[in-house]
Amino acid sequence: MLTVIGLGNERGDLTLSALKALKNADRIYVKNGGAALADLAEEKIGFEECELSAEELIGAARQKEVCYCVGGSALSDKTACALMREAGVYAIDCCSYKTLSDEELVKKERFSFQDFLYILKRLRAPDGCPWDRAQTHGSIRINMIEEAYELVDAIDLDDPEKMCEEAGDVLMQAVFHALIEEERGRFGTDDVISGVSKKLVTRHTHVFGGDSAKGADGALSVWDKNKMTEKHQTTYSDAVNDVPECFPALLRAQKIVKRTAKGGWNFQSAENCEKMFGEGAAALSTAVGSGDREEMQGAFGELLMSLAHTAYMLGVDGEQALLDAVKKTAARYTEWEKLVLADGKDVHALSPEERSAYCKKAEENVFKA
């Protein structure tokens, strides 16, 4: 008989059923036992530290009682997960998770986070889903971006059902990437959860440490200070250059403006912003007059950057402001076209006066709504 045991994460995690199985075993193999090794020693349980394949362990268990033990949860080990799908294998997880059969999963209505991890590991297994097994970081990279945007859209709509669904999809993408790395032996889901938990503690020193903070702004200041320390950012330039290049352009511009302002490069006054915008508009006008496309693009970029500075000064989210304006433009155009077509006219054959009149009527209808 073969028993798979997740030894738990701390001393004292071993359950009575795990101890009973260990004491009845003929051979005990342990992989990455961690803190649980002290428990085994205290119980005078002999074991071999080694790494065997699922096939080798199944072979060894044909004639003897064998226990295969791993530190932490049994779900954190690929070999353990493979063994738990074999008939006749008994699993004990001292991290309190009972492995479910495929049939039980089909019937289950409510799932835990451990169920979720197991399902994804099951899909990546040799007898799992061919598509899931074939995926790499690169092949599903765009999925994370799409799912994040869909969650943001659900938040904007204040749709709880959609938010719940999309949050799950974002979580799935994050865990999928962690599982790919777990299979490579570089880090796993436990490391991801441990890392973000540690970050929450070390950056909230006004809660878990000796710092103090007044209000949300004070708390954010403490967070930023600790973040720079953790990332070994000794200058504000380090923080400025740490803004991801894959961010949407306006969002990246806002992040950089915010970080340069914190670093003393603060132009945030109404006079300065008006001056920057005026100079930018004049430079763009000159570039347009020259007809030089490269010069026009550069001047247009500088003008947009001046608007990012202005948004920061006003406390406006430029990205959201533009999205709101885009939404209004789409609504106005939709209403405009509807009015034109309702009168049996061609949108391309309107006189300037007709176009203007329809625009005014569309504007009134949209704002009235």
Side-chain angles (χ1 to χ4, degrees):
M1 179 176 173
L2 178 58
T3 303
V4 173
I5 301 176
L7 296 171
N9 296 308
E10 307 289 343
R11 285 203 62 179
D13 277 358
L14 282 178
T15 62
L16 290 175
S17 58
L19 282 170
K20 181 179 178 181
L22 289 166
K23 290 179 177 179
N24 290 335
D26 298 307
R27 302 292 293 272
I28 298 170
Y29 301 100
V30 177
K31 176 182 173 185
N32 302 328
L37 295 181
D39 284 339
L40 298 181
E42 186 177 309
E43 294 291 337
K44 296 182 172 54
I45 296 172
F47 60 89
E48 296 177 48
E49 286 193 81
C50 60
E51 185 167 348
L52 299 176
S53 68
E55 290 74 21
E56 290 173 322
L57 289 162
I58 290 169
R62 288 197 179 102
Q63 299 176 4
K64 294 183 178 182
E65 291 282 332
V66 172
C67 285
Y68 174 66
C69 307
V70 296
S73 169
L75 287 175
S76 66
D77 181 72
K78 185 165 59 174
T79 301
C81 285
L83 290 171
M84 287 188 286
R85 291 195 297 276
E86 295 291 330
V89 173
Y90 184 63
I92 303 172
D93 201 321
C94 298
C95 287
S96 304
Y97 177 73
K98 176 185 178 295
T99 304
L100 302 176
S101 67
D102 292 351
E103 291 75 17
E104 287 175 309
L105 285 170
V106 170
K107 295 175 183 177
K108 198 172 174 68
E109 293 296 329
R110 298 285 297 179
F111 295 85
S112 68
F113 185 70
Q114 294 293 347
D115 292 328
F116 172 66
L117 285 180
Y118 177 73
I119 291 166
L120 284 177
K121 287 172 182 279
R122 176 77 179 85
L123 293 174
R124 291 278 292 181
D127 61 338
C129 171
W131 185 90
D132 286 286
R133 288 202 313 271
Q135 300 315 303
T136 64
H137 288 308
S139 69
I140 59 172
R141 172 184 176 276
I142 193 64
N143 295 19
M144 175 57 87
I145 297 172
E146 291 173 353
E147 298 297 356
Y149 274 116
E150 288 179 6
L151 174 55
V152 171
D153 184 58
I155 292 169
D156 290 343
L157 294 171
D158 193 24
D159 184 331
E161 288 187 13
K162 193 172 182 184
M163 275 190 270
C164 181
E165 178 186 353
E166 300 304 339
D169 289 342
V170 169
L171 177 62
M172 180 186 69
Q173 292 300 319
V175 172
F176 207 123
H177 284 285
L179 290 181
I180 291 173
E181 287 302 292
E182 188 172 284
E183 292 163 8
R184 294 177 174 182
R186 300 201 290 194
F187 68 81
T189 51
D190 285 349
D191 300 297
V192 172
I193 292 169
S194 179
V196 72
S197 297
K198 184 71 174 175
K199 183 192 296 183
L200 288 171
V201 172
T202 57
R203 293 192 186 175
H204 286 92
T205 50
H206 53 293
V207 176
F208 303 107
D211 283 329
S212 59
K214 291 184 178 179
D217 289 342
L220 185 58
S221 179
V222 172
W223 172 281
D224 287 339
K225 178 200 71 174
N226 292 329
K227 180 179 179 181
M228 287 186 70
T229 301
E230 288 176 19
K231 288 180 171 286
H232 307 292
Q233 295 172 347
T234 57
T235 67
Y236 288 103
S237 295
D238 292 335
V240 168
N241 293 313
D242 191 48
V243 179
E245 293 187 7
C246 62
F247 273 15
L250 183 53
L251 178 60
R252 186 161 187 251
Q254 290 188 136
K255 286 279 189 182
I256 287 176
V257 165
K258 183 178 179 180
R259 294 186 185 187
T260 56
K262 288 182 178 180
W265 207 34
N266 196 337
F267 305 110
Q268 314 316 320
S269 69
E271 185 180 345
N272 277 335
C273 288
E274 187 177 350
K275 181 172 179 289
M276 289 171 64
F277 183 78
E279 290 174 350
L284 178 59
S285 179
T286 301
V288 170
S290 72
D292 187 311
R293 183 167 294 277
E294 188 173 336
E295 189 179 337
M296 283 189 284
Q297 180 156 321
F300 188 72
E302 291 293 336
L303 182 59
L304 289 176
M305 199 69 205
S306 72
L307 287 172
H309 279 280
T310 303
Y312 179 73
M313 182 202 72
L314 298 174
V316 169
D317 182 343
E319 184 82 12
Q320 188 60 54
L322 180 57
L323 287 171
D324 291 342
V326 168
K327 189 183 293 186
K328 287 178 183 176
T329 297
R332 283 194 292 259
Y333 175 78
T334 301
E335 180 64 18
W336 177 84
E337 184 184 43
K338 184 176 76 174
L339 292 171
V340 173
L341 295 179
D343 286 344
K345 296 183 178 180
D346 183 347
V347 294
H348 298 292
L350 298 176
S351 68
E353 293 76 20
E354 286 177 315
R355 185 175 291 107
S356 178
Y358 280 119
C359 281
K360 184 178 179 181
K361 181 62 175 175
E363 188 91 10
E364 291 172 356
N365 290 354
V366 167
F367 280 109
K368 191 184 298 180

